[in-house]
Amino acid sequence: MLILGIESSCDDTAVALVDCSPEGCFVVRESAVSQIDLHKKYGGVVPELAGRAHAEKIVPLIEEVLKNQPRPDVIAVTAGPGLITGLIVGVEAARTLSMVWNVPIVAVNHIWGHSHSVEIQTDRDPDFHRDDNTVTTIEYPALALIVSGGHTELILMNSANEYKKIGATRDDAAGECFDKVAKLLELEYPGGPKISELAKTGRTDAIDFPRPMLKDDNLEFSFSGLKTAALYWLRDNKLAGTVIASDRRERGNLWPTVMGLLRSFTPRNDKPSVNDFCASFEQAIVDVLVGKTLKAAKLYNPKTIILGGGVAANEKLRETLAHESQSIGHELLIPNLKYCMDNAAMIAVAGYYQAQKKEFTDWRILNADPNWEIE
Ligand code: KG4
Ligand code: ZN
């Protein structure tokens, strides 16, 4: 089954043609445009700008991916959750193609996509190979921890197209917390990768940040208190954070300068450096994510644990969760780095499983739903 995947729920416009069969899902061709450069001067995604940029790119990307390719059997499009300004662009493109080609549409939940991103295979793509060259199969029931800028959710999958939300954040998503605290340090958006880069040379026990809700007897998350704790710490401690702020104001310079300063910065009196701050903060987030996932694994005893979403690119999280999962007898599946981020191949794969059950939505009634929650 040849599936055209379309993703435009946040700040990536992505299109992929994926060939799925019981042997696996292979990317035939894919193309994407990131809007990070557009949004970074605002410190976050600006919905109006995002919508316009998606609208500019969607048709050229579809043309590029489908050039000299046969017409797909199914169109899989992210219908929610996400920014309405972005979602409608992908959904309207899918509706138009469905009407013109008479090809059915599967409306895909963005979180379903992240949950299936470990299955994307690229062996037929000469430019890209899986790190380990293995075929990844999810065994059910599976437990997925999906962590990104917009989501922190624990999903239980009883089969490839049955999803149940068993835990979620009550306020900020983990990636959002990374990005907001990075903003306090005047690091460029998205700040998660920059914090984790700085954290590599820091002390994880330098600052005792809270681990919100870790000890609570539930699978809920909350990260706004951790963000506030980071804010208060920076307010009360005049360390490298202040150096960054004044330097940024004086020179209007961005990441390269910050990196230069941090490398040359030597903490006095053994007080925490920015690197220590980042390492301690990252450790607090990782402890909570891993702790809650293990709690869920003990409760539901899944055959596979999956990590997905942009924050799954975080090395400390990947390593810690892999190690801890193994210690309680569970294998962890992690997508290739490229497919941790938003992409259209994962939407096509999730769409494949819905299409097998003929879960199609007529183009006449398909709608984008920015608040589409998994129940
Ligand atoms: O899934 P994604 O591409 O888009 C959303 O659906 O949000 O995730 C982007 C998020 C951002 O918050 C970014 O800071 C975070 O993933 N992120 C990271 C890392 N790489 C990306 N957070 C922590 N460490 C990283 N290495
Ligand atoms: Zn995402």
Side-chain angles (χ1 to χ4, degrees):
M1 189 187 288
L2 207 49
I3 302 166
L4 180 70
I6 300 176
E7 158 63 36
S8 60
S9 67
C10 188
D11 58 353
D12 292 285
T13 323
V15 177
L17 190 64
V18 180
D19 188 4
C20 286
S21 72
E23 279 78 57
C25 285
F26 294 88
V27 175
V28 178
R29 194 182 289 157
E30 63 185 322
S31 194
V33 179
S34 162
Q35 300 175 4
I36 283 183
D37 286 343
L38 180 67
H39 299 294
K40 69 181 169 196
K41 60 173 172 287
Y42 305 103
V45 180
V46 183
E48 289 75 12
L49 296 179
R52 187 183 290 248
H54 284 302
E56 276 169 14
K57 297 294 178 202
I58 196 83
V59 173
L61 287 177
I62 292 172
E63 269 190 322
E64 184 188 337
V65 166
L66 288 183
K67 196 167 182 197
N68 300 328
Q69 296 294 335
R71 181 175 291 182
D73 303 301
V74 171
I75 301 162
V77 60
T78 306
L83 293 175
I84 185 64
T85 53
L87 290 168
I88 52 170
V89 173
V91 164
E92 290 309 316
R95 294 179 70 218
T96 309
L97 293 173
S98 172
M99 185 200 71
V100 174
W101 290 340
N102 195 24
V103 163
I105 304 179
V106 173
V108 175
N109 184 296
H110 184 77
I111 299 295
W112 300 352
H114 278 302
S115 306
H116 282 288
S117 54
V118 291
E119 292 176 293
I120 302 168
Q121 294 187 59
T122 51
D123 301 16
R124 294 180 197 169
D125 178 350
D127 300 326
F128 183 77
H129 297 281
R130 278 188 72 85
D131 294 341
D132 54 7
N133 261 331
T134 54
V135 176
T136 301
T137 320
I138 301 175
E139 284 190 66
Y140 299 95
L143 171 70
L145 170 68
I146 307 302
V147 255
S148 70
H151 312 278
T152 302
E153 295 185 7
L154 281 163
I155 304 291
L156 186 68
M157 300 166 74
N158 280 320
S159 73
N161 47 27
E162 286 176 275
Y163 308 85
K164 187 177 185 317
K165 184 159 74 182
I166 55 169
T169 181
R170 291 183 179 175
D171 38 60
D172 292 355
E176 188 182 357
C177 185
F178 266 113
D179 295 340
K180 284 179 176 169
V181 169
K183 203 169 172 183
L184 299 175
L185 296 171
E186 302 213 356
L187 303 175
E188 270 183 3
Y189 173 84
K194 277 121 202 164
I195 288 197
S196 78
E197 183 62 31
L198 292 170
K200 281 183 187 152
T201 49
R203 291 177 292 142
T204 54
D205 59 356
I207 304 167
D208 189 16
F209 283 121
R211 270 70 171 156
M213 300 187 75
L214 180 57
K215 297 267 185 301
D216 293 13
D217 193 20
N218 59 36
L219 299 175
E220 303 292 296
F221 300 89
S222 166
F223 290 105
S224 67
L226 176 56
K227 176 190 64 190
T228 309
L231 173 74
Y232 287 166
W233 195 93
L234 286 172
R235 182 195 64 187
D236 299 339
N237 296 274
K238 306 263 174 275
L239 291 173
T242 316
V243 177
I244 296 167
S246 57
D247 179 81
R248 170 87 181 270
R249 268 197 300 276
E250 277 163 32
R251 302 196 211 169
N253 213 341
L254 294 172
W255 180 239
T257 310
V258 173
M259 283 305 282
L261 266 169
L262 296 178
R263 280 202 200 98
S264 61
F265 178 75
T266 313
R268 279 169 298 162
N269 308 327
D270 204 30
K271 280 183 182 167
S273 68
V274 164
N275 303 67
D276 296 332
F277 175 93
C278 290
S280 302
F281 169 76
E282 179 184 63
Q283 188 66 51
I285 292 200
V286 168
D287 283 352
V288 174
L289 292 173
V290 171
K292 291 281 178 169
T293 307
L294 292 193
K295 194 173 278 187
K298 284 174 190 157
L299 271 173
Y300 292 95
N301 201 22
K303 292 209 174 103
T304 312
I305 301 180
I306 299 163
L307 176 62
V311 182
N314 183 282
E315 242 171 78
K316 172 147 265 172
L317 177 62
R318 292 162 84 92
E319 282 166 12
T320 315
L321 191 56
H323 180 264
E324 295 297 320
S325 299
Q326 209 169 30
S327 73
I328 57 163
H330 293 280
E331 197 204 350
L332 178 71
L333 299 181
I334 311 179
N336 200 297
L337 272 184
K338 173 178 173 179
Y339 293 115
C340 290
M341 309 305 169
D342 288 348
N343 64 86
M346 69 183 194
I347 303 303
V349 178
Y352 168 61
Y353 294 110
Q354 297 300 118
Q356 281 183 318
K357 276 182 59 189
K358 305 233 176 306
E359 299 271 352
F360 301 123
T361 307
D362 192 287
W363 65 265
R364 292 170 193 84
I365 58 165
L366 178 67
N367 263 322
D369 179 359
N371 303 313
W372 183 4
E373 295 267 341
I374 295 178
E375 311 229 312

